């Protein structure tokens, strides 16, 4: 909630001052629309995280909570809001519209894959088994791909391409740390199923690429 408050202040309070310093023109209608689109993406992202906490069948450490909620999320949302605020005097273009579509697609890939897995695991008949259906049948960590893709779209919505640092850092972190850690855990818990799954689905996080 505090991250969204900071984002709102940057977009609609400080954004006007930033725009006036850069230009003699007042913030345009397009600039305000971009601000609301940016805030919309932020709200959807926070609601998605809260929803997925229901899906995650694991204990979340305080270190992870502090890192995500106290540092990573506020910093990312503030950067995106600052980028959009700098463009308050500019009209909305095709970059923002394409970004919104990419954001929605990425969010869908992330949420739907985890939701279908959650529903599958609720069935007692599936207890102790590895879920390999749905979107996970195309890519072993399709939810991670959706996460990164959504922030690529979010960066486009902000209309400042330097905000692509967020999905870049996020993607590298997932590939270097999260994917190997999760693979090691799953391979030890579902030995035979995991071996068969990795043979059948070779893409780890990026469909058709890696």
């Amino acid at each position: 909630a505090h991250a969204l408050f900071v984002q709102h202040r940057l977009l609609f309070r400080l954004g006007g001052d930033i725009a006036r310093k850069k230009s003699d023109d007042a913030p345009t209608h397009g600039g305000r629309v971009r601000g609301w689109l940016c805030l919309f993406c932020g709200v959807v992202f926070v609601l998605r995280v809260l929803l997925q906490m229901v899906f995650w069948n694991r204990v979340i450490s305080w270190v992870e909570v502090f890192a995500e909620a106290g540092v990573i999320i506020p910093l990312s949302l503030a950067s995106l809001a600052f980028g959009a605020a700098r463009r308050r005097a500019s009209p909305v273009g095709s970059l923002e519209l394409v970004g919104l579509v990419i954001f929605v697609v990425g969010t869908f890939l992330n949420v739907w894959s985890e939701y279908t897995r959650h529903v599958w695991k609720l069935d007692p008949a599936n207890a102790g088994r590895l879920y390999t259906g749905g979107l996970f049948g195309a890519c072993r960590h399709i939810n991670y791909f959706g996460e990164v893709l959504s922030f690529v779209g979010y960066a486009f919505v902000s209309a400042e391409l330097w905000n692509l640092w967020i999905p870049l850092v996020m993607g590298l972190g997932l590939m270097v740390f999260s994917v190997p850690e999760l693979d090691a855990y799953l391979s030890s818990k579902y030995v035979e199923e995991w071996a068969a799954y990795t043979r059948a689905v070779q893409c780890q996080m990026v469909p058709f690429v890696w």
Side-chain angles (χ1 to χ4, degrees):
H2 67 282
L4 289 175
F5 173 76
V6 170
Q7 187 176 55
H8 182 272
R9 294 281 293 184
L10 282 170
L11 286 167
F12 300 107
R13 188 67 178 267
L14 301 179
D17 296 336
I18 293 171
R20 281 187 287 273
K21 288 180 181 178
K22 291 185 61 181
S23 172
D24 293 333
D25 298 330
T28 63
H29 173 70
R32 287 188 287 270
V33 170
R34 182 184 299 104
W36 283 111
L37 288 176
C38 197
L39 186 62
F40 166 77
C41 292
V43 170
V44 170
F45 166 69
V46 171
L47 291 177
R48 171 178 66 77
V49 172
L50 294 175
L51 175 64
Q52 287 175 308
M53 291 178 71
V54 179
F55 303 160
W56 296 335
N57 186 25
R58 62 184 178 86
V59 177
I60 302 175
S61 68
W62 282 109
V63 174
E64 184 176 354
V65 170
F66 174 77
E68 291 282 345
V71 179
I72 298 173
I73 292 176
L75 180 61
S76 299
L77 295 187
S79 178
L80 291 159
F82 181 73
R86 282 171 49 86
R87 303 296 300 273
R88 284 295 298 275
S90 303
V92 171
S94 58
L95 179 65
E96 294 92 325
L97 300 180
V98 170
L100 184 62
V101 173
I102 294 174
F103 174 81
V104 171
V105 171
T107 300
F108 170 78
L109 291 175
N110 183 269
V111 174
W112 184 251
S113 60
E114 295 198 4
Y115 172 74
T116 54
R117 180 176 60 190
H118 174 70
V119 172
W120 185 83
K121 284 184 172 292
L122 290 177
D123 187 347
N126 297 322
R129 297 175 56 200
L130 176 67
Y131 178 65
T132 61
L135 294 174
F136 287 105
C139 184
R140 301 204 296 265
H141 301 287
I142 189 70
N143 51 334
Y144 289 168
F145 174 71
E147 175 95 7
V148 175
L149 188 65
S150 69
F151 274 89
V152 170
Y154 203 161
F156 288 172
V157 170
S158 78
E160 290 285 9
L161 294 182
W162 49 260
N163 269 321
L164 287 171
W165 74 265
I166 299 171
L168 177 62
V169 171
M170 180 184 298
L172 289 174
L174 290 170
M175 288 190 292
V176 174
F177 298 106
S178 300
V179 168
E181 180 182 4
L182 185 56
D183 284 358
Y185 168 77
L186 294 174
S187 64
S188 64
K189 185 175 182 179
Y190 309 101
V191 180
E192 295 183 2
E193 285 183 286
W194 180 255
Y197 179 47
T198 55
R199 287 194 298 269
V201 180
Q202 298 187 1
C203 286
Q204 296 193 68
M205 196 178 97
V206 183
F208 312 110
V209 177
W210 179 75

